[in-house]
Amino acid sequence: MLTAYTNAEDTFELTEAVGHAMAQWRSASPTADSSADLAPSLLELLQLLGDPGSPEPSESEGELAQRYEQRLVRWLTPHLRLIQKQQARTAKLLAVEPPKLTLDQAPVAMALCDITGYVRWANRSMEALLLGMPAASLRQLVDLDTSRPACHALRIGDRTHELIALNVPALGPTNVALLAKPGSVKAVCPATARARLADQTVQIDGLRVGYNEYGPAEGQPVLFMHNWSGSRLQVPLDNDCLQTHGIRLIVPDQPGHGLSSPLPNPKGQDALTQWPRLVEQLADALGLTQFAIMGHCSGAIQALACAKALPRRITRVVLISPFAPIRNLADMASLQASGRLMHNQSGKLPDVKLPLMQLWLGQMRQQVGQCRDHFLVDLALRDHAITASAAQQAQHTRSFVEAIHQSDEAPLSGLRLIASDWSRLLDIRQPVTIWHGDEDRTVPPSHGQRLVHTLPNAKLRHVPGFGHDLYYQHWPEIIRALGDSLSPR
C-alpha cells in the first residue's frame, strides 16, 4: 500500500477519474514498449513510496513500466491537485499551507512544472537537484512534444541523478510531474542557498511586513530593497558569500508585495515617508541599532529615502542599477521600448491610461512564463545568469509572482514612484556605492553616472559587459566589497 501524504478528505475521490483519463491518454500516447527501459527506475520510486510493485510472471518490461507508471500517477494526483487547489485559493504560485501538505517528508524528490519549464512547486529534495540542472534541459524534459515517461540523467559532481517526467492527466496537458531518488542531495544544495529565516512577518502599526533573512545571524545587518517587480525572494540563490563576509541580509517585502500589507495611501510621495517609518520599526523589532542598506533598480529610491529619513541609523548605502530622477525623454533614451512605454504611462496615472496598465498587469498574472521570457529577451546576454539553473529561474519567477499577486496597486505605486520627482533625496551624507552595467537597457548607465555626480559622497563601480541584473553574477564581489567597508578598521 502506498503511503499517503494528504488528509483523506483531500483525495477528491479521483480514482475513477484518473483511471478514465489515463485510458484516454494511453490511447493517444506512444506504446508502452517505448518506456520499457524505465521499468526498474519506476519500480524503485514505487518502492520508496511503500509499494512493493511485485511483477506478474507473464508481464513484459513494457507492461511493467506501464503499470508502475499508472500507480505512481495515481499516488501523485491527489497530492498535486491539493497543491493546485491551494495555489488557486491564495493566488500565490509555489505557496502552499504546510499543515495540510507534508510532501517534504516524502522519500522521493518531486516537483510540478508546466510545459515551459516553469517550476510551480518542488519539495526540498527536488529543489536541491534543480539547483544543478540547466534550465534548457528542464524545458526539453517537460516540453509538450516530449513523449513521457521521459528520463534525464543529471550529473552533479561524481554522482548521476535520474529525473523522470510523468504526465498527470487529471492536472491537464500543460502540467508535468518530476520524480527522482533524493540520493545525496544535501551535498548538492549549499546550506546557504535557502533563507535562514523564511516567510517571517511582524505587525507594525496595524500593517504586516514580511521578510526573509539570509546569512549568519551574528553578521553585520544589511537591509535589501527589492525593485517594483520583486519581493523578499529577489536575491541570488548562492549565498555562501554572506557567510564568508559576515553579512546578515534582511530582505523585506515592500508594501503590497509578497507577505506585506499595502499602505493605506500608497500614491505619489506618501510612499517615501511611510516606508522609511516601517523600516525603522522593523529594525527595532529585529534589534538593529545601525545597519547598511542596499537597493536594486526602483528599490534604490526606497533605499535613498530610508537613508535620508534615518541618517543616524543607516551607515552605508549600496545602489545596484539605480534610477536617477527622470527629468525628460532624454533620460529614457536608452530604455527598451517596453520600458519607455511603462515609465511614460506611470507618470500620468490615474487617467485614461490606468486601464491599459491594469490590463498589462492582468496579462502578466495569466502568462507568467511568457512575461518572464519577454523580459529576458531584453536583458544583456550576461544577465541570463538568472536562467543558468532551473532553481534560480524558478526563484526569480516566483519573486515576480509575489510582487503582483495581491493587486494592481503595489506595482503601479512603484512605477509612479519612478516617474515622480524624488530629487530631494540626493543630499544624503552616508557613503554610497553605485554598481551599474554598461549594457543596462532597463535603466541606462547614464543614470548611475548622474547619481555619482549629484550625491555628496558616492563612487561608481562600472561593470563592463553586464546589464540590469548584473548582481546575479557579481553577487560575491558586491558582498565582499560591502563586507570590507563594514569591517572595523
Side-chain angles (χ1 to χ4, degrees), residues 277-470:
R277 285 200 296 267
L278 290 176
V279 168
E280 182 177 27
Q281 292 179 72
L282 174 63
D284 291 341
L286 297 177
L288 310 182
T289 303
Q290 291 186 314
F291 51 94
I293 197 163
M294 305 175 72
H296 174 245
C297 186
S298 61
I301 305 174
Q302 297 285 19
L304 289 169
C306 292
K308 171 87 170 180
L310 308 171
R312 295 181 179 178
R313 301 191 68 172
I314 294 179
T315 60
R316 181 169 290 273
V317 181
V318 176
L319 308 179
I320 304 169
S321 308
F323 278 100
I326 296 176
R327 304 163 300 186
N328 49 47
L329 291 177
D331 291 337
M332 297 190 291
S334 300
L335 288 177
Q336 59 202 34
S338 59
R340 289 197 301 272
L341 173 64
M342 178 178 67
H343 299 310
N344 184 46
Q345 300 281 19
S346 66
K348 298 178 174 63
L349 297 174
D351 56 22
V352 69
K353 293 161 185 168
L354 178 59
L356 295 178
M357 298 296 288
Q358 291 173 325
L359 176 62
W360 178 61
L361 290 167
Q363 289 177 332
M364 286 197 288
R365 290 190 186 92
Q366 295 297 319
Q367 302 174 355
V368 172
Q370 291 182 26
C371 289
R372 173 203 65 206
D373 293 343
H374 170 74
F375 284 121
L376 289 177
V377 167
D378 288 322
L379 292 178
L381 183 61
R382 290 182 178 179
D383 281 355
H384 285 231
I386 59 177
T387 65
S389 77
Q392 184 65 78
Q393 179 173 302
Q395 174 140 329
H396 187 268
T397 306
R398 177 184 173 187
S399 181
F400 177 62
V401 171
E402 292 267 348
I404 63 175
H405 80 89
Q406 285 195 40
S407 69
D408 294 338
E409 187 50 50
L412 289 179
S413 178
L415 295 176
R416 288 190 192 98
L417 181 60
I418 294 170
S420 68
D421 180 11
W422 48 270
S423 57
R424 62 185 175 83
L425 305 178
L426 300 181
D427 60 352
I428 66 167
R429 298 295 171 179
Q430 296 96 325
V432 179
T433 302
I434 300 168
W435 296 77
H436 218 131
D438 65 358
E439 293 190 17
D440 192 336
R441 284 172 268 176
T442 303
V443 181
S446 59
H447 283 239
Q449 293 162 2
R450 283 175 49 209
L451 286 175
V452 78
H453 289 118
T454 306
L455 290 161
N457 188 11
K459 63 180 180 179
L460 176 64
R461 299 289 293 266
H462 177 71
V463 187
F466 286 84
H468 193 60
D469 287 326
L470 64 91

Side-chain angles (χ1 to χ4, degrees), residues 75-372:
W75 185 90
L76 283 168
T77 297
H79 295 78
L80 298 182
R81 278 287 295 270
L82 178 58
I83 290 170
Q84 281 190 324
K85 179 181 178 181
Q86 292 181 350
Q87 289 180 345
R89 184 169 63 248
T90 60
K92 288 167 62 179
L93 298 181
L94 293 169
V96 294
E97 298 172 9
K100 289 189 177 181
L101 189 70
T102 56
L103 290 181
D104 275 337
Q105 300 173 15
V108 170
M110 59 185 72
L112 176 64
C113 304
D114 68 19
I115 56 175
T116 70
Y118 173 57
V119 182
R120 300 181 64 87
W121 171 85
N123 68 357
R124 292 187 178 184
S125 296
M126 184 61 80
E127 281 182 351
L129 287 176
L130 291 177
L131 278 171
M133 186 172 189
S137 299
L138 177 60
R139 285 195 293 270
Q140 182 178 5
L141 188 61
V142 301
D143 187 83
L144 190 62
D145 293 330
T146 299
S147 297
R148 279 178 283 275
C151 179
H152 174 79
L154 176 62
R155 183 76 177 178
I156 302 177
D158 60 352
R159 299 207 49 173
T160 299
H161 302 266
E162 194 175 54
L163 274 68
I164 294 178
L166 301 176
N167 290 321
V168 183
L171 304 184
T174 62
N175 289 295
V176 179
L178 291 183
L179 297 172
K181 291 189 301 178
S184 59
V185 294
K186 290 184 179 178
V188 174
C189 180
T192 53
R194 299 173 65 88
R196 179 174 53 79
L197 292 175
D199 303 338
Q200 304 295 298
T201 60
V202 294
Q203 293 291 325
I204 299 174
D205 291 341
L207 299 176
R208 184 179 64 251
V209 177
Y211 67 95
N212 278 6
E213 281 201 32
Y214 306 83
E218 68 281 2
Q220 293 275 6
V222 178
L223 267 66
F224 183 95
M225 304 289 109
H226 62 74
N227 65 18
W228 73 271
S229 61
S231 73
R232 67 193 181 283
L233 305 173
Q234 193 182 322
V235 293
L237 281 177
D238 184 4
N239 276 315
D240 287 337
C241 56
L242 298 177
Q243 190 75 36
T244 300
H245 299 289
I247 298 296
R248 176 189 176 189
L249 190 71
I250 301 156
V251 189
D253 284 323
Q254 291 184 28
H257 295 246
L259 301 174
S260 291
S261 305
L263 291 174
N265 181 16
K267 297 182 180 180
Q269 294 288 313
D270 290 339
L272 290 181
T273 56
Q274 295 179 69
W275 179 238
R277 285 200 296 267
L278 290 176
V279 168
E280 182 177 27
Q281 292 179 72
L282 174 63
D284 291 341
L286 297 177
L288 310 182
T289 303
Q290 291 186 314
F291 51 94
I293 197 163
M294 305 175 72
H296 174 245
C297 186
S298 61
I301 305 174
Q302 297 285 19
L304 289 169
C306 292
K308 171 87 170 180
L310 308 171
R312 295 181 179 178
R313 301 191 68 172
I314 294 179
T315 60
R316 181 169 290 273
V317 181
V318 176
L319 308 179
I320 304 169
S321 308
F323 278 100
I326 296 176
R327 304 163 300 186
N328 49 47
L329 291 177
D331 291 337
M332 297 190 291
S334 300
L335 288 177
Q336 59 202 34
S338 59
R340 289 197 301 272
L341 173 64
M342 178 178 67
H343 299 310
N344 184 46
Q345 300 281 19
S346 66
K348 298 178 174 63
L349 297 174
D351 56 22
V352 69
K353 293 161 185 168
L354 178 59
L356 295 178
M357 298 296 288
Q358 291 173 325
L359 176 62
W360 178 61
L361 290 167
Q363 289 177 332
M364 286 197 288
R365 290 190 186 92
Q366 295 297 319
Q367 302 174 355
V368 172
Q370 291 182 26
C371 289
R372 173 203 65 206

